[in-house]
Amino acid sequence: MALLFYILFLFFTFIQCRHLEKVPTWEQYKVKFGKNYLTINEENFRKNNYFNSLTKIVKNNGKNGVTLGLNDMSDWSDEEFFSLNSKSPSSVFVSARPTSTVNTSPFPKSWDWRNIIAFNSIEQQGRCSSCWAFAAATTVEAAYAHQKNKHNLHLSRQELVDCTNRTFDQHYLNYGCKGGWPTEAYKYIMDHGVYEDKLYHYTETFNEVCYADKVAHDKGHPVKYYISNYGRLAYNDTDEAIMAMLVTYGPGTVDIHGTSDTFRFYKGGIMRNVMPNSAYTNHIVVVVGYGTDSSGVDYWIIRNSWGKTWGEHGYGRLERHPNLLGFNNKYNYPIL
Ligand SMILES: *[C@@H]1O[C@H](CO)[C@@H](O)[C@H](O)[C@H]1NC(C)=O
Ligand SMILES: *[C@@H]1O[C@H](CO)[C@@H](O)[C@H](O)[C@H]1NC(C)=O
């Protein structure tokens, strides 16, 4: 069966004539992505998922303008992948913050915060639906870097996961490893500040308890990092508004539709025509810039938390204008 898929895959790759990377065998995939499985059952399950992923990659490669490829989540089942995006943070537009008013005076034709501040290396949220925590923390780190000259911060994603669960603290509406909103993380950082990751390390699970007080007690009240507020744009705001906020305040977060095969296996290029005006969104990423490629396609640059093997070394480009993946629906940013 596996061999059949492999032959089919080579065949399609040839026919489609797309610049797919050379297809690794299952053994090569395991080595390249550092996979070790404890049992034969596990290995068989993973192998099956791998061929399932290959089939989807072949089917969709080259569609929507992008190259698809394997990443370190390509041995996950559909169920595992979908549960990553499960508790859709989209149904409620939480937050009672006032909408920002935007000055749309001329701003640069292109922008890339990666050329201005140093970001942490791309992270892998793992099997925890904590994209919202990674995105919120990354934007706060960026704000500290460019507004306070405080570089190389790595704030605790785990504290946000553990301490904003709604059952644990009624002030917040998040669901631990089952999803959440960056605005709830911002609220927590306003109220309580957040520790650095080295004091409250990421474990990829919901700990059922918030250890912030314990860290304070055990470590003699180390520094916490606060924001004074956060802002958001109106629902489905314009590209110009987002560009202005991005240039003025630094990277912000957006909610997007993250479960299409194009996005799941995205390897490079500018994603086009994918789910324009999607009202449904289930994944959060950071916006770091925008630009226009040599053929005149305007794009956004996003930073994902699915490891370095996803996309363009963990980053992605998405065509700007038609609100693809619901990109324009909810833009949020921290204010120091
Ligand atoms: C967090 O809160 C939700 C909602 O109250 C609850 O159902 C859940 O068990 C808690 N833990 C996780 C991991 O979501
Ligand atoms: C966003 O606004 C445009 C027009 O301004 C509209 O056509 C589109 O349906 C809206 N999208 C959503 C997701 O509400």
Side-chain angles (χ1 to χ4, degrees):
M1 187 62 173
L3 182 67
L4 177 67
F5 268 115
Y6 186 60
I7 291 168
L8 267 177
F9 187 74
L10 291 179
F11 176 71
F12 277 112
T13 311
F14 177 71
I15 295 290
Q16 293 208 335
C17 200
R18 295 285 172 188
H19 25 268
L20 257 191
E21 319 150 83
K22 252 216 157 113
V23 187
T25 62
W26 169 240
E27 293 304 323
Q28 287 165 338
Y29 175 80
K30 285 195 295 177
V31 173
K32 182 167 176 200
F33 292 86
K35 302 288 181 181
N36 286 299
Y37 307 106
L38 297 178
T39 63
I40 293 287
N41 279 350
E42 169 86 358
E43 167 129 12
N44 286 338
F45 174 62
R46 296 292 156 203
K47 188 172 177 180
N48 199 38
N49 296 337
Y50 167 81
F51 283 105
N52 209 351
S53 294
L54 277 184
T55 309
K56 291 192 164 85
I57 291 169
V58 169
K59 199 169 145 225
N60 296 291
N61 185 46
K63 282 188 196 154
N64 302 319
V66 291
T67 305
L68 306 186
L70 294 160
N71 57 45
D72 64 24
M73 303 186 300
S74 300
D75 62 344
W76 293 21
S77 66
D78 289 350
E79 288 69 29
E80 286 173 305
F81 177 73
F82 291 137
S83 75
L84 189 62
N85 302 279
S86 64
K87 185 65 77 185
S88 159
S90 74
S91 41
V92 198
F93 197 14
V94 215
S95 149
R97 299 278 131 200
T99 302
S100 306
T101 45
V102 192
N103 173 9
T104 42
S105 60
F107 38 83
K109 284 258 171 277
S110 66
W111 193 267
D112 190 345
W113 278 108
R114 291 173 299 177
N115 298 331
I116 304 165
I117 55 176
F119 286 85
N120 286 304
S121 54
I122 287 286
E123 294 168 285
Q124 169 58 281
Q125 67 189 72
R127 284 182 180 75
C128 169
S129 189
S130 51
C131 54
W132 54 273
F134 281 82
T138 299
T139 57
V140 173
E141 288 158 2
Y144 267 93
H146 75 96
Q147 292 172 40
K148 294 250 164 105
N149 218 20
K150 174 83 191 156
H151 300 276
N152 305 316
L153 266 183
H154 188 212
L155 300 173
S156 175
R157 281 79 174 128
Q158 192 64 44
E159 182 177 352
L160 300 175
V161 169
D162 290 346
C163 305
T164 65
N165 184 266
R166 73 197 309 171
T167 27
F168 180 79
D169 186 332
Q170 291 294 318
H171 285 108
Y172 308 107
L173 299 173
N174 287 338
Y175 294 85
C177 276
K178 292 179 190 141
W181 292 267
T183 45
E184 296 302 290
Y186 289 152
K187 259 167 47 185
Y188 177 84
I189 301 172
M190 280 171 70
D191 298 343
H192 302 281
V194 60
Y195 286 118
E196 288 184 74
D197 178 81
K198 66 185 177 208
L199 296 168
Y200 199 137
H201 201 58
Y202 189 58
T203 56
E204 215 185 296
T205 49
F206 180 65
N207 288 319
E208 306 289 341
V209 58
C210 166
Y211 292 112
D213 289 345
K214 185 172 174 357
V215 173
H217 179 263
D218 293 356
K219 305 278 162 95
H221 296 273
V223 180
K224 289 199 105 172
Y225 292 86
Y226 288 82
I227 58 176
S228 68
N229 209 337
Y230 62 91
R232 66 168 213 226
L233 289 173
Y235 184 80
N236 190 13
D237 214 327
T238 61
D239 292 337
E240 289 69 27
I242 295 176
M243 288 153 86
M245 297 321 278
L246 181 67
V247 170
T248 312
Y249 288 98
T253 68
V254 283
D255 294 25
I256 57 167
H257 191 305
T259 33
S260 70
D261 285 340
T262 296
F263 195 81
R264 179 177 180 179
F265 299 109
Y266 168 72
K267 201 74 184 174
I270 300 174
M271 286 174 256
R272 307 185 71 175
N273 314 319
V274 272
M275 304 186 176
N277 279 310
S278 178
Y280 176 74
T281 53
N282 56 9
H283 185 46
I284 317 279
V285 293
V286 176
V287 191
V288 299
Y290 57 84
T292 304
D293 83 346
S294 53
S295 56
V297 181
D298 294 332
Y299 58 83
W300 296 111
I301 308 166
I302 59 173
R303 176 187 160 102
N304 203 353
S305 46
W306 289 355
K308 288 181 187 137
T309 60
W310 180 90
E312 300 178 329
H313 306 287
Y315 290 87
R317 286 179 295 155
L318 179 68
E319 186 174 14
R320 221 187 295 154
H321 303 301
N323 186 15
L324 298 186
L325 305 175
F327 181 98
N328 294 54
N329 296 356
K330 294 173 193 169
Y331 182 88
N332 304 296
Y333 60 95
I335 299 169
L336 287 192

PDB file of all heavy atoms in Angstrom, residues 37-67:
ATOM      1  N   TYR A  37       9.554   6.483  17.277  1.00  0.00           N
ATOM      2  CA  TYR A  37       8.282   6.013  17.805  1.00  0.00           C
ATOM      3  C   TYR A  37       8.531   4.850  18.742  1.00  0.00           C
ATOM      4  O   TYR A  37       9.420   4.040  18.526  1.00  0.00           O
ATOM      5  CB  TYR A  37       7.351   5.599  16.666  1.00  0.00           C
ATOM      6  CG  TYR A  37       7.204   6.699  15.635  1.00  0.00           C
ATOM      7  CD1 TYR A  37       7.825   6.603  14.387  1.00  0.00           C
ATOM      8  CD2 TYR A  37       6.481   7.850  15.932  1.00  0.00           C
ATOM      9  CE1 TYR A  37       7.703   7.619  13.458  1.00  0.00           C
ATOM     10  CE2 TYR A  37       6.357   8.875  15.008  1.00  0.00           C
ATOM     11  CZ  TYR A  37       6.975   8.757  13.766  1.00  0.00           C
ATOM     12  OH  TYR A  37       6.872   9.762  12.862  1.00  0.00           O
ATOM     13  N   LEU A  38       7.730   4.800  19.795  1.00  0.00           N
ATOM     14  CA  LEU A  38       7.996   3.823  20.845  1.00  0.00           C
ATOM     15  C   LEU A  38       7.497   2.425  20.526  1.00  0.00           C
ATOM     16  O   LEU A  38       8.081   1.450  20.963  1.00  0.00           O
ATOM     17  CB  LEU A  38       7.391   4.308  22.168  1.00  0.00           C
ATOM     18  CG  LEU A  38       8.010   5.622  22.683  1.00  0.00           C
ATOM     19  CD1 LEU A  38       7.342   6.075  23.974  1.00  0.00           C
ATOM     20  CD2 LEU A  38       9.529   5.458  22.889  1.00  0.00           C
ATOM     21  N   THR A  39       6.409   2.337  19.793  1.00  0.00           N
ATOM     22  CA  THR A  39       5.857   1.009  19.512  1.00  0.00           C
ATOM     23  C   THR A  39       5.632   0.833  18.013  1.00  0.00           C
ATOM     24  O   THR A  39       5.573   1.804  17.269  1.00  0.00           O
ATOM     25  CB  THR A  39       4.480   0.817  20.205  1.00  0.00           C
ATOM     26  OG1 THR A  39       3.568   1.779  19.657  1.00  0.00           O
ATOM     27  CG2 THR A  39       4.577   1.011  21.703  1.00  0.00           C
ATOM     28  N   ILE A  40       5.488  -0.421  17.632  1.00  0.00           N
ATOM     29  CA  ILE A  40       5.194  -0.735  16.223  1.00  0.00           C
ATOM     30  C   ILE A  40       3.843  -0.143  15.831  1.00  0.00           C
ATOM     31  O   ILE A  40       3.688   0.412  14.739  1.00  0.00           O
ATOM     32  CB  ILE A  40       5.157  -2.275  16.014  1.00  0.00           C
ATOM     33  CG1 ILE A  40       6.555  -2.863  16.221  1.00  0.00           C
ATOM     34  CG2 ILE A  40       4.646  -2.619  14.624  1.00  0.00           C
ATOM     35  CD1 ILE A  40       7.531  -2.566  15.118  1.00  0.00           C
ATOM     36  N   ASN A  41       2.881  -0.231  16.750  1.00  0.00           N
ATOM     37  CA  ASN A  41       1.563   0.330  16.455  1.00  0.00           C
ATOM     38  C   ASN A  41       1.641   1.820  16.171  1.00  0.00           C
ATOM     39  O   ASN A  41       1.027   2.315  15.236  1.00  0.00           O
ATOM     40  CB  ASN A  41       0.611   0.117  17.641  1.00  0.00           C
ATOM     41  CG  ASN A  41       0.043  -1.283  17.628  1.00  0.00           C
ATOM     42  OD1 ASN A  41       0.212  -2.010  16.636  1.00  0.00           O
ATOM     43  ND2 ASN A  41      -0.613  -1.661  18.720  1.00  0.00           N
ATOM     44  N   GLU A  42       2.405   2.489  17.004  1.00  0.00           N
ATOM     45  CA  GLU A  42       2.571   3.928  16.827  1.00  0.00           C
ATOM     46  C   GLU A  42       3.226   4.206  15.471  1.00  0.00           C
ATOM     47  O   GLU A  42       2.783   5.062  14.712  1.00  0.00           O
ATOM     48  CB  GLU A  42       3.431   4.487  17.972  1.00  0.00           C
ATOM     49  CG  GLU A  42       3.900   5.926  17.790  1.00  0.00           C
ATOM     50  CD  GLU A  42       2.902   6.958  18.271  1.00  0.00           C
ATOM     51  OE1 GLU A  42       1.813   6.567  18.715  1.00  0.00           O
ATOM     52  OE2 GLU A  42       3.212   8.161  18.192  1.00  0.00           O
ATOM     53  N   GLU A  43       4.256   3.453  15.190  1.00  0.00           N
ATOM     54  CA  GLU A  43       4.955   3.652  13.926  1.00  0.00           C
ATOM     55  C   GLU A  43       4.023   3.431  12.737  1.00  0.00           C
ATOM     56  O   GLU A  43       4.010   4.221  11.783  1.00  0.00           O
ATOM     57  CB  GLU A  43       6.193   2.744  13.822  1.00  0.00           C
ATOM     58  CG  GLU A  43       6.738   2.695  12.409  1.00  0.00           C
ATOM     59  CD  GLU A  43       8.222   2.978  12.273  1.00  0.00           C
ATOM     60  OE1 GLU A  43       8.921   3.010  13.291  1.00  0.00           O
ATOM     61  OE2 GLU A  43       8.675   3.167  11.126  1.00  0.00           O
ATOM     62  N   ASN A  44       3.217   2.398  12.792  1.00  0.00           N
ATOM     63  CA  ASN A  44       2.290   2.127  11.691  1.00  0.00           C
ATOM     64  C   ASN A  44       1.253   3.231  11.536  1.00  0.00           C
ATOM     65  O   ASN A  44       0.920   3.635  10.426  1.00  0.00           O
ATOM     66  CB  ASN A  44       1.592   0.774  11.890  1.00  0.00           C
ATOM     67  CG  ASN A  44       2.544  -0.372  11.598  1.00  0.00           C
ATOM     68  OD1 ASN A  44       3.540  -0.184  10.878  1.00  0.00           O
ATOM     69  ND2 ASN A  44       2.276  -1.529  12.170  1.00  0.00           N
ATOM     70  N   PHE A  45       0.793   3.704  12.675  1.00  0.00           N
ATOM     71  CA  PHE A  45      -0.178   4.801  12.667  1.00  0.00           C
ATOM     72  C   PHE A  45       0.445   6.043  12.016  1.00  0.00           C
ATOM     73  O   PHE A  45      -0.140   6.676  11.142  1.00  0.00           O
ATOM     74  CB  PHE A  45      -0.582   5.085  14.123  1.00  0.00           C
ATOM     75  CG  PHE A  45      -1.467   6.283  14.310  1.00  0.00           C
ATOM     76  CD1 PHE A  45      -2.733   6.325  13.730  1.00  0.00           C
ATOM     77  CD2 PHE A  45      -1.040   7.370  15.074  1.00  0.00           C
ATOM     78  CE1 PHE A  45      -3.563   7.437  13.912  1.00  0.00           C
ATOM     79  CE2 PHE A  45      -1.859   8.475  15.256  1.00  0.00           C
ATOM     80  CZ  PHE A  45      -3.129   8.512  14.675  1.00  0.00           C
ATOM     81  N   ARG A  46       1.676   6.357  12.418  1.00  0.00           N
ATOM     82  CA  ARG A  46       2.367   7.554  11.898  1.00  0.00           C
ATOM     83  C   ARG A  46       2.668   7.417  10.404  1.00  0.00           C
ATOM     84  O   ARG A  46       2.557   8.364   9.646  1.00  0.00           O
ATOM     85  CB  ARG A  46       3.671   7.786  12.657  1.00  0.00           C
ATOM     86  CG  ARG A  46       3.466   8.101  14.140  1.00  0.00           C
ATOM     87  CD  ARG A  46       2.811   9.436  14.310  1.00  0.00           C
ATOM     88  NE  ARG A  46       2.103   9.552  15.579  1.00  0.00           N
ATOM     89  CZ  ARG A  46       1.102  10.398  15.801  1.00  0.00           C
ATOM     90  NH1 ARG A  46       0.673  11.187  14.830  1.00  0.00           N
ATOM     91  NH2 ARG A  46       0.521  10.459  16.967  1.00  0.00           N
ATOM     92  N   LYS A  47       3.050   6.211  10.029  1.00  0.00           N
ATOM     93  CA  LYS A  47       3.383   5.953   8.633  1.00  0.00           C
ATOM     94  C   LYS A  47       2.152   6.156   7.748  1.00  0.00           C
ATOM     95  O   LYS A  47       2.208   6.754   6.682  1.00  0.00           O
ATOM     96  CB  LYS A  47       3.879   4.511   8.515  1.00  0.00           C
ATOM     97  CG  LYS A  47       4.438   4.137   7.176  1.00  0.00           C
ATOM     98  CD  LYS A  47       5.051   2.750   7.316  1.00  0.00           C
ATOM     99  CE  LYS A  47       5.589   2.234   6.019  1.00  0.00           C
ATOM    100  NZ  LYS A  47       6.171   0.896   6.210  1.00  0.00           N
ATOM    101  N   ASN A  48       1.034   5.677   8.235  1.00  0.00           N
ATOM    102  CA  ASN A  48      -0.218   5.832   7.529  1.00  0.00           C
ATOM    103  C   ASN A  48      -0.574   7.330   7.373  1.00  0.00           C
ATOM    104  O   ASN A  48      -0.979   7.788   6.302  1.00  0.00           O
ATOM    105  CB  ASN A  48      -1.296   5.094   8.322  1.00  0.00           C
ATOM    106  CG  ASN A  48      -2.497   4.812   7.472  1.00  0.00           C
ATOM    107  OD1 ASN A  48      -2.358   4.502   6.284  1.00  0.00           O
ATOM    108  ND2 ASN A  48      -3.668   4.955   8.044  1.00  0.00           N
ATOM    109  N   ASN A  49      -0.395   8.073   8.439  1.00  0.00           N
ATOM    110  CA  ASN A  49      -0.656   9.525   8.389  1.00  0.00           C
ATOM    111  C   ASN A  49       0.270  10.214   7.388  1.00  0.00           C
ATOM    112  O   ASN A  49      -0.138  11.130   6.679  1.00  0.00           O
ATOM    113  CB  ASN A  49      -0.434  10.174   9.759  1.00  0.00           C
ATOM    114  CG  ASN A  49      -1.390   9.664  10.804  1.00  0.00           C
ATOM    115  OD1 ASN A  49      -2.459   9.166  10.465  1.00  0.00           O
ATOM    116  ND2 ASN A  49      -1.001   9.770  12.069  1.00  0.00           N
ATOM    117  N   TYR A  50       1.503   9.740   7.366  1.00  0.00           N
ATOM    118  CA  TYR A  50       2.489  10.315   6.453  1.00  0.00           C
ATOM    119  C   TYR A  50       2.040  10.153   5.001  1.00  0.00           C
ATOM    120  O   TYR A  50       2.050  11.106   4.216  1.00  0.00           O
ATOM    121  CB  TYR A  50       3.837   9.630   6.695  1.00  0.00           C
ATOM    122  CG  TYR A  50       4.896   9.869   5.649  1.00  0.00           C
ATOM    123  CD1 TYR A  50       5.646  11.042   5.656  1.00  0.00           C
ATOM    124  CD2 TYR A  50       5.152   8.919   4.660  1.00  0.00           C
ATOM    125  CE1 TYR A  50       6.628  11.258   4.695  1.00  0.00           C
ATOM    126  CE2 TYR A  50       6.124   9.128   3.702  1.00  0.00           C
ATOM    127  CZ  TYR A  50       6.860  10.306   3.718  1.00  0.00           C
ATOM    128  OH  TYR A  50       7.823  10.518   2.773  1.00  0.00           O
ATOM    129  N   PHE A  51       1.580   8.952   4.649  1.00  0.00           N
ATOM    130  CA  PHE A  51       1.141   8.735   3.270  1.00  0.00           C
ATOM    131  C   PHE A  51      -0.155   9.489   2.962  1.00  0.00           C
ATOM    132  O   PHE A  51      -0.363   9.961   1.847  1.00  0.00           O
ATOM    133  CB  PHE A  51       1.038   7.238   2.966  1.00  0.00           C
ATOM    134  CG  PHE A  51       2.394   6.632   2.740  1.00  0.00           C
ATOM    135  CD1 PHE A  51       2.994   5.829   3.701  1.00  0.00           C
ATOM    136  CD2 PHE A  51       3.113   6.930   1.580  1.00  0.00           C
ATOM    137  CE1 PHE A  51       4.268   5.315   3.511  1.00  0.00           C
ATOM    138  CE2 PHE A  51       4.393   6.425   1.384  1.00  0.00           C
ATOM    139  CZ  PHE A  51       4.970   5.618   2.357  1.00  0.00           C
ATOM    140  N   ASN A  52      -0.963   9.616   3.979  1.00  0.00           N
ATOM    141  CA  ASN A  52      -2.170  10.433   3.864  1.00  0.00           C
ATOM    142  C   ASN A  52      -1.795  11.886   3.535  1.00  0.00           C
ATOM    143  O   ASN A  52      -2.385  12.532   2.663  1.00  0.00           O
ATOM    144  CB  ASN A  52      -2.868  10.373   5.219  1.00  0.00           C
ATOM    145  CG  ASN A  52      -4.340  10.525   5.098  1.00  0.00           C
ATOM    146  OD1 ASN A  52      -4.843  10.844   4.019  1.00  0.00           O
ATOM    147  ND2 ASN A  52      -5.029  10.313   6.212  1.00  0.00           N
ATOM    148  N   SER A  53      -0.795  12.386   4.231  1.00  0.00           N
ATOM    149  CA  SER A  53      -0.321  13.759   3.991  1.00  0.00           C
ATOM    150  C   SER A  53       0.231  13.888   2.581  1.00  0.00           C
ATOM    151  O   SER A  53      -0.078  14.854   1.876  1.00  0.00           O
ATOM    152  CB  SER A  53       0.788  14.135   4.986  1.00  0.00           C
ATOM    153  OG  SER A  53       0.283  14.193   6.286  1.00  0.00           O
ATOM    154  N   LEU A  54       1.021  12.895   2.174  1.00  0.00           N
ATOM    155  CA  LEU A  54       1.596  12.936   0.824  1.00  0.00           C
ATOM    156  C   LEU A  54       0.491  13.039  -0.230  1.00  0.00           C
ATOM    157  O   LEU A  54       0.593  13.815  -1.185  1.00  0.00           O
ATOM    158  CB  LEU A  54       2.424  11.683   0.552  1.00  0.00           C
ATOM    159  CG  LEU A  54       3.863  11.643   1.054  1.00  0.00           C
ATOM    160  CD1 LEU A  54       4.531  10.365   0.586  1.00  0.00           C
ATOM    161  CD2 LEU A  54       4.659  12.851   0.575  1.00  0.00           C
ATOM    162  N   THR A  55      -0.560  12.252  -0.040  1.00  0.00           N
ATOM    163  CA  THR A  55      -1.664  12.272  -0.998  1.00  0.00           C
ATOM    164  C   THR A  55      -2.258  13.678  -1.092  1.00  0.00           C
ATOM    165  O   THR A  55      -2.513  14.184  -2.182  1.00  0.00           O
ATOM    166  CB  THR A  55      -2.761  11.278  -0.549  1.00  0.00           C
ATOM    167  OG1 THR A  55      -2.128  10.035  -0.298  1.00  0.00           O
ATOM    168  CG2 THR A  55      -3.815  11.105  -1.617  1.00  0.00           C
ATOM    169  N   LYS A  56      -2.461  14.305   0.045  1.00  0.00           N
ATOM    170  CA  LYS A  56      -3.036  15.652   0.065  1.00  0.00           C
ATOM    171  C   LYS A  56      -2.085  16.668  -0.571  1.00  0.00           C
ATOM    172  O   LYS A  56      -2.513  17.602  -1.253  1.00  0.00           O
ATOM    173  CB  LYS A  56      -3.322  16.086   1.498  1.00  0.00           C
ATOM    174  CG  LYS A  56      -4.447  15.330   2.161  1.00  0.00           C
ATOM    175  CD  LYS A  56      -4.836  16.023   3.452  1.00  0.00           C
ATOM    176  CE  LYS A  56      -6.173  15.557   3.968  1.00  0.00           C
ATOM    177  NZ  LYS A  56      -6.072  14.334   4.778  1.00  0.00           N
ATOM    178  N   ILE A  57      -0.813  16.468  -0.326  1.00  0.00           N
ATOM    179  CA  ILE A  57       0.180  17.389  -0.888  1.00  0.00           C
ATOM    180  C   ILE A  57       0.177  17.295  -2.406  1.00  0.00           C
ATOM    181  O   ILE A  57       0.138  18.301  -3.115  1.00  0.00           O
ATOM    182  CB  ILE A  57       1.578  17.097  -0.290  1.00  0.00           C
ATOM    183  CG1 ILE A  57       1.595  17.499   1.187  1.00  0.00           C
ATOM    184  CG2 ILE A  57       2.671  17.843  -1.059  1.00  0.00           C
ATOM    185  CD1 ILE A  57       2.819  17.033   1.952  1.00  0.00           C
ATOM    186  N   VAL A  58       0.182  16.057  -2.897  1.00  0.00           N
ATOM    187  CA  VAL A  58       0.168  15.858  -4.353  1.00  0.00           C
ATOM    188  C   VAL A  58      -1.082  16.481  -4.959  1.00  0.00           C
ATOM    189  O   VAL A  58      -1.032  17.171  -5.970  1.00  0.00           O
ATOM    190  CB  VAL A  58       0.212  14.353  -4.696  1.00  0.00           C
ATOM    191  CG1 VAL A  58      -0.067  14.143  -6.173  1.00  0.00           C
ATOM    192  CG2 VAL A  58       1.553  13.786  -4.325  1.00  0.00           C
ATOM    193  N   LYS A  59      -2.213  16.253  -4.310  1.00  0.00           N
ATOM    194  CA  LYS A  59      -3.494  16.731  -4.831  1.00  0.00           C
ATOM    195  C   LYS A  59      -3.533  18.252  -4.914  1.00  0.00           C
ATOM    196  O   LYS A  59      -4.129  18.822  -5.823  1.00  0.00           O
ATOM    197  CB  LYS A  59      -4.602  16.210  -3.910  1.00  0.00           C
ATOM    198  CG  LYS A  59      -5.967  16.247  -4.560  1.00  0.00           C
ATOM    199  CD  LYS A  59      -6.988  15.481  -3.724  1.00  0.00           C
ATOM    200  CE  LYS A  59      -8.331  16.191  -3.845  1.00  0.00           C
ATOM    201  NZ  LYS A  59      -9.009  16.335  -2.572  1.00  0.00           N
ATOM    202  N   ASN A  60      -2.911  18.904  -3.960  1.00  0.00           N
ATOM    203  CA  ASN A  60      -3.080  20.357  -3.870  1.00  0.00           C
ATOM    204  C   ASN A  60      -1.847  21.173  -4.214  1.00  0.00           C
ATOM    205  O   ASN A  60      -1.914  22.401  -4.231  1.00  0.00           O
ATOM    206  CB  ASN A  60      -3.532  20.724  -2.450  1.00  0.00           C
ATOM    207  CG  ASN A  60      -4.889  20.151  -2.133  1.00  0.00           C
ATOM    208  OD1 ASN A  60      -5.885  20.579  -2.694  1.00  0.00           O
ATOM    209  ND2 ASN A  60      -4.918  19.155  -1.269  1.00  0.00           N
ATOM    210  N   ASN A  61      -0.751  20.499  -4.484  1.00  0.00           N
ATOM    211  CA  ASN A  61       0.472  21.249  -4.762  1.00  0.00           C
ATOM    212  C   ASN A  61       0.299  22.120  -6.000  1.00  0.00           C
ATOM    213  O   ASN A  61      -0.243  21.685  -7.013  1.00  0.00           O
ATOM    214  CB  ASN A  61       1.640  20.291  -4.989  1.00  0.00           C
ATOM    215  CG  ASN A  61       2.932  21.043  -5.152  1.00  0.00           C
ATOM    216  OD1 ASN A  61       3.222  21.947  -4.372  1.00  0.00           O
ATOM    217  ND2 ASN A  61       3.698  20.709  -6.170  1.00  0.00           N
ATOM    218  N   GLY A  62       0.727  23.363  -5.903  1.00  0.00           N
ATOM    219  CA  GLY A  62       0.635  24.253  -7.042  1.00  0.00           C
ATOM    220  C   GLY A  62      -0.682  25.008  -7.120  1.00  0.00           C
ATOM    221  O   GLY A  62      -0.781  26.022  -7.783  1.00  0.00           O
ATOM    222  N   LYS A  63      -1.697  24.512  -6.386  1.00  0.00           N
ATOM    223  CA  LYS A  63      -2.967  25.254  -6.352  1.00  0.00           C
ATOM    224  C   LYS A  63      -2.775  26.500  -5.505  1.00  0.00           C
ATOM    225  O   LYS A  63      -1.963  26.518  -4.588  1.00  0.00           O
ATOM    226  CB  LYS A  63      -4.075  24.401  -5.714  1.00  0.00           C
ATOM    227  CG  LYS A  63      -4.650  23.364  -6.648  1.00  0.00           C
ATOM    228  CD  LYS A  63      -5.861  22.700  -5.996  1.00  0.00           C
ATOM    229  CE  LYS A  63      -6.196  21.420  -6.739  1.00  0.00           C
ATOM    230  NZ  LYS A  63      -6.892  20.460  -5.891  1.00  0.00           N
ATOM    231  N   ASN A  64      -3.571  27.503  -5.771  1.00  0.00           N
ATOM    232  CA  ASN A  64      -3.522  28.743  -4.988  1.00  0.00           C
ATOM    233  C   ASN A  64      -2.138  29.380  -4.991  1.00  0.00           C
ATOM    234  O   ASN A  64      -1.780  30.110  -4.074  1.00  0.00           O
ATOM    235  CB  ASN A  64      -3.973  28.509  -3.538  1.00  0.00           C
ATOM    236  CG  ASN A  64      -5.376  27.936  -3.461  1.00  0.00           C
ATOM    237  OD1 ASN A  64      -6.262  28.345  -4.210  1.00  0.00           O
ATOM    238  ND2 ASN A  64      -5.575  26.974  -2.593  1.00  0.00           N
ATOM    239  N   GLY A  65      -1.369  29.063  -6.004  1.00  0.00           N
ATOM    240  CA  GLY A  65      -0.095  29.754  -6.190  1.00  0.00           C
ATOM    241  C   GLY A  65       1.064  29.283  -5.348  1.00  0.00           C
ATOM    242  O   GLY A  65       2.127  29.890  -5.373  1.00  0.00           O
ATOM    243  N   VAL A  66       0.877  28.230  -4.570  1.00  0.00           N
ATOM    244  CA  VAL A  66       1.965  27.879  -3.652  1.00  0.00           C
ATOM    245  C   VAL A  66       2.484  26.458  -3.801  1.00  0.00           C
ATOM    246  O   VAL A  66       1.809  25.570  -4.308  1.00  0.00           O
ATOM    247  CB  VAL A  66       1.561  28.090  -2.174  1.00  0.00           C
ATOM    248  CG1 VAL A  66       1.425  29.565  -1.873  1.00  0.00           C
ATOM    249  CG2 VAL A  66       0.294  27.345  -1.847  1.00  0.00           C
ATOM    250  N   THR A  67       3.689  26.282  -3.341  1.00  0.00           N
ATOM    251  CA  THR A  67       4.303  24.975  -3.262  1.00  0.00           C
ATOM    252  C   THR A  67       3.951  24.379  -1.910  1.00  0.00           C
ATOM    253  O   THR A  67       4.006  25.069  -0.890  1.00  0.00           O
ATOM    254  CB  THR A  67       5.835  25.124  -3.346  1.00  0.00           C
ATOM    255  OG1 THR A  67       6.134  25.852  -4.526  1.00  0.00           O
ATOM    256  CG2 THR A  67       6.510  23.774  -3.382  1.00  0.00           C
TER     257      THR A  67
END
